[in-house]
Amino acid sequence: MKTRDRLRIAMQKSGRLTEPALDVLKRCGLTFRQSRDKLFCFGEGEPVDLLLVRDDDIPGLIEQGVCDLGIVGRNVLDEFSLTTGVDGAPLKEWRPLGFGRCRLSVAVPQEMAYENATSLAGQRIATSYPGLLGKWLRDAGVDAQVVTLAGSVEIAPKLGTADAICDLVQSGGTLVANQLREVDVLLESEAVLAGPATLPTDERGDMLELLFKRLDGVIQVSESRLLLLQTSRGNLEAVTRLLPGGPQPTLLPVAGQPDQLMLQALCAGEVSWRQLEEIKKAGAREMFVLPVEKMLA
Ligand code: ATP
Ligand code: ZN
């Protein structure tokens, strides 16, 4: 079989992960020409194409080698590894992407008593994640009946087809609307860049390496802030001590004011008003917090 020389990434065709996934790829400098059937998008600048599919199909497509990488929820990836994918080469979570955050949780009717997993012994639990739930129950040594449903898991207790559920939760609104109470978290999930454990070493390997480097920059900058301020040399130590974590600040002279310095610091996360006020009290002025757009270490 002729190997592909272009990289192919699978992502969700239409759903919660679609927009943020396209956005992160765009910030990595990848743009795509959308084809009419919208299943395949040809990459314009770099040799990277997209395959738009249902999220549940993504791990299988990677395992079969149809795609090199996929953007998919950790929940889908782990479920695949525990069920469908057990015979194939293991898949690897190469990078967490920081969006599509949710958790896979156990929820019970408001009135049901719950202390820990053993409270579920002998109960029927509805879920679309039989692999993850089964493993969690086994690890806890609990014998319960897993009822696998494709969707609308949250209404199973009301319908009498289950006593409890195990489903994805983000805000918890759906649970409240169905008189359910979240009692245990099985998995903290977010979208990840998944791929085979061993990546190709041909031409695609170079592109992969480039993509990972850009992605690391994109992930890092999305959380980074550049802090600019002025301070006198006398206050420099006090101001520097209060700076939020990050590499050493850069100091620049201020023209015409030999006692003043301009300080530039890259901060690993948000800089709050409170932190700014503290730094100001220590002697800083002319403070700016700027988002970082691109970074290449
Ligand atoms: P598809 O048609 O691709 O199968 P889907 O209905 O399975 O779509 P979505 O509801 O779009 O998928 O969710 C995709 C992913 O978004 C989930 O697998 C999960 O990782 C993440 N997610 C974040 N918050 C939630 C939530 N509140 N409910 C469900 N999924 C969530
Ligand atoms: Zn799905």
Side-chain angles (χ1 to χ4, degrees):
M1 197 177 85
K2 187 185 174 296
T3 58
R4 274 180 288 115
D5 52 2
R6 295 177 65 86
L7 212 59
R8 199 179 285 163
I9 305 178
M11 57 165 275
Q12 196 184 21
K13 182 181 164 98
S14 135
R16 292 170 204 265
L17 305 183
T18 308
E19 279 310 313
L22 282 173
D23 182 58
V24 82
L25 294 174
K26 192 173 149 202
R27 281 190 281 139
C28 287
L30 306 181
T31 51
F32 304 93
R33 200 187 316 145
Q34 279 223 339
S35 64
R36 216 163 290 161
D37 65 0
K38 283 201 179 167
L39 173 71
F40 187 82
C41 291
F42 185 80
E44 290 183 314
E46 309 287 354
V48 183
D49 304 320
L50 284 185
L51 207 58
L52 302 178
V53 294
R54 287 200 56 187
D55 65 346
D56 316 76
D57 295 336
I58 293 173
L61 290 167
I62 301 169
E63 191 179 52
Q64 293 156 26
V66 177
C67 294
D68 304 293
L69 295 169
I71 296 179
V72 67
R74 180 179 294 138
N75 49 303
V76 172
L77 187 68
D78 289 4
E79 179 66 18
F80 178 85
S81 308
L82 286 168
T83 52
T84 335
V86 281
D87 298 328
L91 297 184
K92 185 170 161 181
E93 194 178 296
W94 282 95
R95 293 290 188 283
L97 297 175
F99 59 85
R101 285 187 202 277
C102 58
R103 49 198 190 274
L104 183 67
S105 292
V106 170
V108 301
Q110 293 291 2
E111 66 283 358
M112 181 176 148
Y114 185 94
E115 206 169 307
N116 51 42
T118 53
S119 309
L120 297 167
Q123 308 277 342
R124 296 162 304 161
I125 313 166
T127 191
S128 306
Y129 295 87
L132 284 163
L133 175 59
K135 181 177 187 303
W136 184 75
L137 290 169
R138 272 195 309 283
D139 290 350
V142 173
D143 196 10
Q145 190 191 334
V146 175
V147 181
T148 306
L149 299 179
S152 303
V153 168
E154 68 281 358
I155 58 168
K158 226 182 271 172
L159 296 179
T161 51
D163 305 298
I165 69 163
C166 169
D167 203 6
L168 294 179
V169 183
Q170 196 179 36
S171 64
T174 310
L175 295 183
V176 174
N178 288 282
Q179 288 94 49
L180 295 169
R181 180 164 64 93
E182 185 178 0
V183 290
D184 242 323
V185 178
L186 278 65
L187 176 77
E188 295 282 355
S189 185
E190 68 186 282
V192 302
L193 186 70
T198 343
L199 294 170
T201 47
D202 54 15
E203 305 97 288
R204 282 175 294 162
D206 298 340
M207 189 57 222
L208 276 170
E209 209 173 301
L210 189 79
L211 180 63
F212 282 142
K213 277 213 189 94
R214 288 189 188 176
L215 198 58
D216 289 338
V218 165
I219 295 167
Q220 209 179 341
V221 297
S222 65
E223 283 148 19
S224 298
R225 299 289 179 271
L226 190 68
L227 175 64
L228 300 177
L229 59 82
Q230 277 194 31
T231 178
S232 65
R233 289 180 190 274
N235 290 331
L236 181 62
E237 209 196 309
V239 166
T240 312
R241 213 178 305 128
L242 292 172
L243 295 178
Q248 278 294 98
T250 309
L251 300 171
L252 304 163
V254 177
Q257 300 181 59
D259 183 47
Q260 289 290 309
L261 286 169
M262 158 117 174
L263 182 152
Q264 175 184 306
L266 190 67
C267 307
E270 262 304 340
V271 184
S272 69
W273 281 111
R274 192 156 296 229
Q275 282 172 310
L276 281 184
E277 286 151 5
E278 289 293 314
I279 299 169
K280 187 161 189 216
K281 252 188 243 160
R285 56 191 187 86
E286 303 286 333
M287 305 176 74
F288 293 91
V289 180
L290 308 174
V292 180
E293 197 174 278
K294 289 196 180 74
M295 187 151 73
L296 194 61

